Amino acid sequence: MLARLFLGLFFACSVQAAEVHESILANGLKVLIKEQHRSPVVVAQIWYKVGSSYEPSGMTGISHMLEHMMFKGTEQYPAGEFSKIIAENGGRENAFTGHDYTAYFQTLEKSRLAISFELEADRMQHLHLLAEELQKERQVVMEERRMRTEDNPRAKLHEYLMAMAYTSSPYKNPVIGWPIDIENYQVADLQQWYQRWYAPNNATLVVVGDVQVAEVMQLVKKYFAPIPRHNIQALKPQIEMPQVGVRRMSVRLPAKVPYLLMGYKVPSLKTAVDEWEAYALDVLAAVLDGSDSARLPARLQRGQQLATSVGAGYDLGARLKTLFLFEATPVKGKTLLDMELALKTEIRILQRELISQSELTRVKAQVLANSVYEQDSLFYQAMKLGMAETVGLGWQKSEQYRNKINQVTAEQVRQVAEKYLMESQLSIAYLEPQTMLANTATGVLHAH
Amino acid sequence: MHIKHWFFILLSFYSVQAFAISPIQHWQTSQGGRVYFVRSAGLPMLDMRLVFAAGSARDGKQEGLAALTARLFATGAGQWGADELARQFDDVGARFSYDLNQDYAWLGLRTLTQAELMPQALAAFQQLVTRPRFAEDEFARIKAQVKIELQQRQEQPGFVAKRAFYRALYGSHPYAHLKEGTPQSIADMTRADVRHFYQKYYVAQNAILVLVGDIPKAQAQQIAEHLFANLKQGHQAQALPKVPALRQGQVQQIDFSSSQTHILAGLPVLSRKDADYFPLYVGNYILGGSGLVSRLFDEIREKRGLAYSAYSYFSPLAEAGPFTIGLQTQNKQRDLAIRVLKQTVREFIEKGPSHLALRAAQKNLTGGFVLRFDNNKKLLNYIAMIAFYQLPLDYLDTFQEQVARVTRAQIQAAFQRRVNLDLLQIISVGGQ
């Protein structure tokens, strides 16, 4: 009851998020602007609807490779100039690629927004793709892959799990790409990929910060309106084949500590037939692992003391059908099988018994509090809008999130647990550590 | 709109120091507790951080004790066990957090400021800080957890390199070990060690409180009074010993089953109040601190494709903190990468930055100044740093001017004096 009282208060107190201003240029560029006047700073992000889930086989990772090449210059601003100009203007910039998007961003003192626009508009149309630059950057990406995946047993387990869990969905491929594909991109491949996807009508520009909508729109028109629209060829449907039984693997790698990953096929908000199911899955993830008082840390780490680490996660915002993931590291003396059984016991309880009202209310309270906290970050606010828009949900969905979560019932949480966390939809991977080389210093040279 | 207003003041008057109005309000509680507060309006939330001189440099022989102590706070306090304590925060959407480095450990709270919500969060935080349980069963559980985590970190060549790097730089100084400790040191620890550490270091005289958020000053005062009144007075931690000078440079190669070699190079250089702070800081921006446009990035990645990341940075601490240069490259390129790294640093030290490079650096650091604290979280970090190291309260107000004053000659001289390449410690961890 106490918790319920709090929830009412949350609604009373939480500040209304600033309004999002949407416009679409004649060339199809969608522009989202949110005024936030707490500090004299602005974030600009440009999101392209392309990512690793758009890639055909043999070309995995090409979206990410192209993201790297986007810093390699145009006729007007040769390699390195883009970053130099942003730096000299006190800006911070970078880019990221995911399964469903490629995005570029700059954070600047507010009066310098035009600089970001000019440079992004330029590289949307005039990228110079040179064989020599590609050769070097390919090595950089290979090093990135070694760092992120090859030398990280847990990341490798995740990669193997995805490859096994999906049959026909492009989510089976890593965002960074398979090594053999990275080694074989040609300039022509990148050129085609660039021409196919980098166009105003395949992009969303998000601006959040201490700006005025009208002024931003003037700048947008100046820099982006002249860019011609392309004919964007629709992506072929990429539907995952139904899974008809559990999939299981054991991965033997040099490592020190065993580790478990389990993933159940579930709909995302975009693919759910009934929207509420996605929100209920999101609440389910929070009941399991949303905070320190959630079930998995309370029961498996503390109560039964089976796990050193344990977690659950669900990506509501995926463009395609996704996985509801569990991970666990056993304590000394426990096995991966113990982890699997303990997690399945928790799942069974969720399928049979309603979560308590206080649990549900606690999850909602945190979602509401987060909706205030996240306004402390311009970058995160822009990111939420850009992502929702780019995966095809529409940015409005990200604004509705809080209210939708608030409508989820305990029975709905039970229903999605029962419907989706089924053995036949499970993929499970064990990391079984193989001996690593001992870490002994083999040589110390004294320099003089 | 307080912050915005403050920026206006800052930018208009920063060169007229006598008139610079500091936005940081500082006072002492009736018990002498030191408090730093910035009112940041616009969002109904409060961030606070209680900082103690209780970092890993206080571990003594018990490596990992400071970290273990900090971690145990969330496992129970006063009448609450771990579950109840977690619910106290979660019920009202509040978040407890903590972290530590070599010099300090902090306990933090983020909460909404609504009158019906904040008191519960503050009460739980207060219990956690002033009446931690450090219960035997929780102590044993966390110890076992840390041991497994340390084993897992041994899978990471970067972690192995970092451990060797600090040993090489600091020898027997308290900065020589990582805050995580070792499996053996953790195994040897007792609950009494943690209690003792808490009683010695988590005391009012050894603490500062930083608050940033949308509450009136009177309320900040009230919160501070209450917190400090329930902390034991205790004593300020003693000053740390000076970092001994290195006697010679070395290259240490550690074999590891990995496809990449992780390379760290550096030496102890910079303390927080060092007279060379700004020349070294601005110089390092040019050498390896400016992300995609630094010299190291250009030589290692852009020109040669040797690594995904290549960087350098100073970590100023109470005593000489490390200057760190780092990259990772596939094993067979190890020697080449080390050569390019050394060559790039040597050239920078010998010739200093170009006039153009210095101007670009100054434009970035002053032009991007506002980005450094454009939200409560970043502001909290800055103020905690200023308060803990007792930097002038107008540190932020004068920052841009200090940067603008730095000359090429100062950078060159400071690097030549302070970054002696003959003493460089180079650690490489990887396969053959």
Side-chain angles (χ1 to χ4, degrees):
Chain A
M1 276 295 97
L2 192 64
R4 176 166 284 176
L5 169 74
F6 279 140
L7 206 57
L9 294 168
F10 269 109
F11 265 109
C13 88
S14 51
V15 283
Q16 194 52 50
E19 259 180 51
V20 177
H21 175 272
E22 178 195 272
S23 34
I24 301 173
L25 302 191
N27 62 13
L29 179 71
K30 185 170 274 193
V31 185
L32 306 175
I33 304 167
K34 195 171 181 178
E35 291 188 16
Q36 286 284 6
H37 301 289
R38 295 180 67 230
S39 58
V41 171
V42 63
V43 172
Q45 300 176 345
I46 187 143
W47 292 70
Y48 292 97
K49 289 179 187 140
V50 62
S52 64
S53 70
Y54 288 58
E55 297 162 354
S57 78
M59 298 270 263
T60 64
I62 196 163
S63 305
H64 173 256
M65 187 75 230
L66 181 57
E67 178 228 295
H68 275 241
M69 295 304 290
M70 283 285 279
F71 292 84
K72 294 301 177 184
T74 63
E75 232 157 89
Q76 203 181 348
Y77 299 103
E81 276 304 299
F82 189 113
S83 300
K84 228 185 218 164
I85 293 170
I86 295 296
E88 286 197 14
N89 279 283
R92 300 189 184 165
E93 55 143 358
N94 218 320
F96 49 89
T97 306
H99 284 302
D100 303 319
Y101 45 75
T102 309
Y104 302 81
F105 63 87
Q106 295 85 35
T107 306
L108 291 153
E109 185 275 320
K110 65 172 177 176
S111 71
R112 310 181 194 212
L113 181 60
I115 296 161
S116 145
F117 284 2
E118 183 180 351
L119 292 168
E120 285 294 4
D122 178 49
R123 72 175 171 184
M124 186 189 284
Q125 317 164 69
H126 304 302
L127 184 64
H128 244 181
L129 287 159
L130 302 173
E132 190 193 315
E133 292 289 349
L134 174 60
Q135 205 41 43
K136 272 187 295 183
E137 205 57 23
R138 186 199 313 282
Q139 296 310 316
V140 170
V141 171
M142 290 298 286
E143 294 294 353
E144 184 180 0
R145 196 186 142 84
R146 287 184 192 103
M147 190 183 75
R148 291 191 196 280
T149 314
E150 304 296 352
D151 290 343
N152 181 341
R154 291 178 174 214
K156 262 206 115 117
L157 188 76
H158 184 261
E159 190 174 272
Y160 282 121
L161 177 76
M162 294 300 130
M164 174 181 71
Y166 294 108
T167 303
S168 48
S169 165
Y171 283 176
K172 68 185 293 145
N173 298 317
V175 172
I176 198 166
W178 299 109
I180 190 70
D181 294 355
I182 299 172
E183 279 164 19
N184 286 286
Y185 309 133
Q186 303 300 310
V187 169
D189 299 328
L190 286 150
Q191 193 67 49
Q192 272 173 23
W193 203 247
Y194 176 65
Q195 269 157 6
R196 178 161 178 200
W197 300 113
Y198 282 62
N201 46 320
N202 196 44
T204 305
L205 175 66
V206 188
V207 177
V208 178
D210 190 13
V211 291
Q212 305 293 329
V213 170
E215 289 170 21
V216 175
M217 280 314 295
Q218 267 183 357
L219 291 174
V220 168
K221 280 177 193 143
K222 177 173 171 195
Y223 292 106
F224 289 96
I227 306 174
R229 138 198 306 274
H230 289 196
N231 189 12
I232 301 287
Q233 219 183 315
L235 204 55
K236 305 274 190 209
Q238 301 150 291
I239 306 296
E240 172 68 1
M241 288 293 287
Q243 184 169 338
V244 289
V246 63
R247 297 173 185 184
R248 188 175 272 286
M249 76 182 353
S250 115
V251 172
R252 296 156 73 86
L253 283 171
K256 300 271 188 191
V257 178
Y259 181 59
L260 168 85
L261 280 173
M262 289 174 27
Y264 294 89
K265 293 259 173 68
V266 291
S268 61
L269 182 54
K270 180 84 174 94
T271 60
V273 179
D274 292 306
E275 253 188 14
W276 66 263
E277 288 192 346
Y279 295 110
L281 284 164
D282 210 51
V283 171
L284 180 62
V287 166
L288 285 163
D289 187 31
S291 67
D292 206 29
S293 70
R295 286 191 181 194
L296 295 182
R299 296 180 180 182
L300 303 194
Q301 273 185 299
R302 296 197 291 270
Q304 301 168 50
Q305 307 205 0
L306 296 170
T308 291
S309 75
V310 62
Y314 166 63
D315 180 12
L316 172 110
R319 189 173 65 89
L320 305 171
K321 196 174 202 180
T322 184
L323 291 183
F324 194 103
L325 274 176
F326 290 87
E327 58 158 1
T329 309
V331 298
K332 199 177 171 206
K334 295 292 171 190
T335 63
L336 292 174
L337 182 61
D338 294 328
M339 295 299 97
E340 182 184 339
L341 295 176
L343 286 168
K344 285 181 173 172
T345 302
E346 289 306 321
I347 291 168
R348 217 168 302 121
I349 294 169
L350 285 162
Q351 290 168 333
R352 288 180 188 163
E353 298 165 23
L354 294 181
I355 56 169
S356 71
Q357 270 311 311
S358 64
E359 267 178 304
L360 182 60
T361 312
R362 202 174 299 125
V363 165
K364 292 178 179 179
Q366 287 167 62
V367 168
L368 294 169
N370 288 344
S371 71
V372 175
Y373 299 151
E374 69 195 22
Q375 291 180 60
D376 196 39
S377 163
L378 296 180
F379 188 85
Y380 188 70
Q381 291 177 72
M383 181 131 181
K384 276 194 355 175
L385 294 172
M387 201 178 291
E389 186 61 33
T390 304
V391 301
L393 285 168
W395 59 269
Q396 295 87 346
K397 280 283 187 291
S398 92
E399 303 291 289
Q400 294 164 7
Y401 174 77
R402 199 181 70 179
N403 290 337
K404 294 286 186 182
I405 289 292
N406 206 43
Q407 290 163 20
V408 172
T409 66
E411 171 57 19
Q412 287 177 328
V413 174
R414 195 200 62 75
Q415 281 179 28
V416 290
E418 189 173 36
K419 182 169 173 188
Y420 293 110
L421 305 190
M422 287 195 312
E423 185 74 4
S424 70
Q425 299 306 302
L426 172 62
S427 296
I428 182 161
Y430 282 18
L431 172 63
E432 293 179 358
Q434 306 299 295
T435 323
M436 294 183 85
L437 205 63
N439 302 319
T440 47
T442 52
V444 177
L445 303 168
H446 292 286
H448 299 284
Chain B
M1 296 305 104
H2 184 84
I3 291 285
K4 211 175 151 191
H5 180 55
W6 169 44
F7 280 110
F8 173 72
I9 291 168
L10 209 83
L11 295 174
S12 318
F13 296 102
Y14 75 84
S15 55
V16 193
Q17 287 182 39
F19 290 92
I21 298 164
S22 173
I24 304 173
Q25 304 184 57
H26 171 49
W27 68 86
Q28 297 204 338
T29 66
S30 52
Q31 275 92 10
R34 290 166 289 162
V35 188
Y36 299 80
F37 169 59
V38 170
R39 180 159 193 188
S40 160
L43 287 176
M45 58 189 272
L46 170 69
D47 284 285
M48 59 190 266
R49 189 175 282 188
L50 199 49
V51 188
F52 299 89
S56 63
R58 308 290 168 184
D59 281 347
K61 291 209 162 58
Q62 295 174 298
E63 298 181 3
L65 179 57
L68 189 64
T69 305
R71 182 164 175 167
L72 282 165
F73 280 95
T75 63
Q79 70 270 41
W80 298 309
D83 291 345
E84 293 95 341
L85 184 57
R87 284 199 289 268
Q88 290 301 310
F89 292 118
D90 292 349
D91 276 345
V92 290
R95 290 185 196 162
F96 164 72
S97 58
Y98 75 93
D99 202 358
L100 70 157
N101 73 357
Q102 294 94 324
D103 290 336
Y104 55 77
W106 57 258
L107 308 174
L109 176 69
R110 171 168 267 198
T111 174
L112 297 171
T113 49
Q114 176 92 351
E116 293 82 356
L117 303 171
M118 191 163 72
Q120 177 168 329
L122 288 171
F125 185 69
Q126 162 117 12
Q127 287 282 305
L128 177 146
V129 173
T130 59
R131 296 181 60 205
R133 279 188 180 180
F134 303 128
E136 189 63 52
D137 53 340
E138 288 294 329
F139 173 74
R141 182 175 68 80
I142 297 292
K143 243 173 84 163
Q145 240 177 53
V146 172
K147 274 179 74 180
I148 302 255
E149 286 165 14
L150 280 168
Q151 268 179 38
Q152 204 237 320
R153 299 298 300 270
Q154 288 297 322
E155 294 170 356
Q156 302 162 351
F159 183 75
V160 173
K162 195 173 162 195
R163 171 161 280 158
F165 181 68
Y166 276 84
R167 289 251 183 264
L169 263 65
Y170 290 101
S172 58
H173 187 272
Y175 287 166
H177 67 276
L178 298 187
K179 63 182 178 184
E180 289 86 351
T182 66
Q184 192 54 54
S185 69
I186 296 294
D188 291 344
M189 247 164 246
T190 68
R191 184 170 160 251
D193 296 328
V194 170
R195 287 210 153 278
H196 181 74
F197 191 88
Y198 171 77
Q199 279 157 4
K200 184 164 178 193
Y201 293 112
Y202 284 82
V203 291
Q205 287 299 315
N206 200 35
I208 50 162
L209 176 65
V210 183
L211 305 104
V212 174
D214 192 12
I215 55 171
K217 186 181 178 187
Q219 198 171 6
Q221 282 171 321
Q222 221 178 19
I223 293 170
E225 278 298 326
H226 215 62
L227 253 179
F228 276 104
N230 287 284
L231 277 176
K232 295 223 166 52
Q233 270 299 309
H235 300 284
Q236 205 163 353
Q238 286 183 347
L240 294 169
K242 295 269 170 258
V243 174
L246 291 169
R247 272 177 301 189
Q248 55 185 345
Q250 64 161 326
V251 182
Q252 198 184 127
Q253 156 66 19
I254 298 173
D255 277 349
F256 197 88
S257 341
S258 54
S259 64
Q260 270 188 328
T261 296
H262 286 239
I263 295 162
L264 289 177
L267 63 174
V269 177
L270 193 59
S271 71
R272 265 292 163 198
K273 289 183 171 171
D274 200 297
D276 286 328
Y277 182 84
F278 280 97
L280 290 176
Y281 178 74
V282 176
N284 182 66
Y285 172 91
I286 300 161
L287 174 61
S290 44
L292 309 181
V293 297
S294 81
R295 276 219 193 154
L296 278 165
F297 191 86
D298 192 48
E299 294 294 335
I300 302 278
R301 174 165 157 170
E302 295 301 287
K303 287 199 184 138
R304 297 181 177 83
L306 288 173
Y308 175 67
S309 86
Y311 56 83
S312 65
Y313 60 95
F314 289 98
S315 321
L317 293 171
E319 293 302 327
F323 173 54
T324 310
I325 311 163
L327 61 88
Q328 326 77 26
T329 190
Q330 58 176 308
N331 293 325
K332 66 176 185 194
Q333 294 175 164
R334 179 189 70 202
D335 294 344
L336 172 62
I338 291 178
R339 260 204 315 280
V340 176
L341 181 158
K342 281 167 82 173
Q343 184 53 34
T344 307
V345 179
R346 177 168 298 124
E347 209 173 290
F348 181 76
I349 293 174
E350 279 169 9
K351 297 186 185 151
S354 71
H355 178 69
L356 271 175
L358 175 58
R359 265 204 35 188
Q362 287 167 325
K363 279 162 87 177
N364 174 276
L365 296 170
T366 56
F369 179 65
V370 291
L371 273 56
R372 291 167 179 265
F373 41 94
D374 58 5
N375 62 32
N376 291 5
K377 201 173 171 183
K378 292 187 204 170
L379 195 54
L380 184 78
N381 269 326
Y382 256 106
I383 298 168
M385 187 271 288
I386 289 167
F388 183 81
Y389 292 108
Q390 296 180 25
L391 301 178
L393 287 187
D394 66 354
Y395 176 83
L396 288 176
D397 310 54
T398 59
F399 180 89
Q400 298 184 86
E401 200 187 348
Q402 299 265 25
V403 166
R405 267 202 223 125
V406 170
T407 66
R408 285 166 60 202
Q410 282 173 344
I411 292 174
Q412 196 179 3
F415 268 84
Q416 285 180 358
R417 237 180 314 110
R418 307 297 297 277
V419 183
N420 180 353
L421 288 183
D422 292 337
L423 298 178
L424 199 66
Q425 309 293 305
I426 302 178
I427 309 294
S428 75
V429 177
Q432 291 300 323

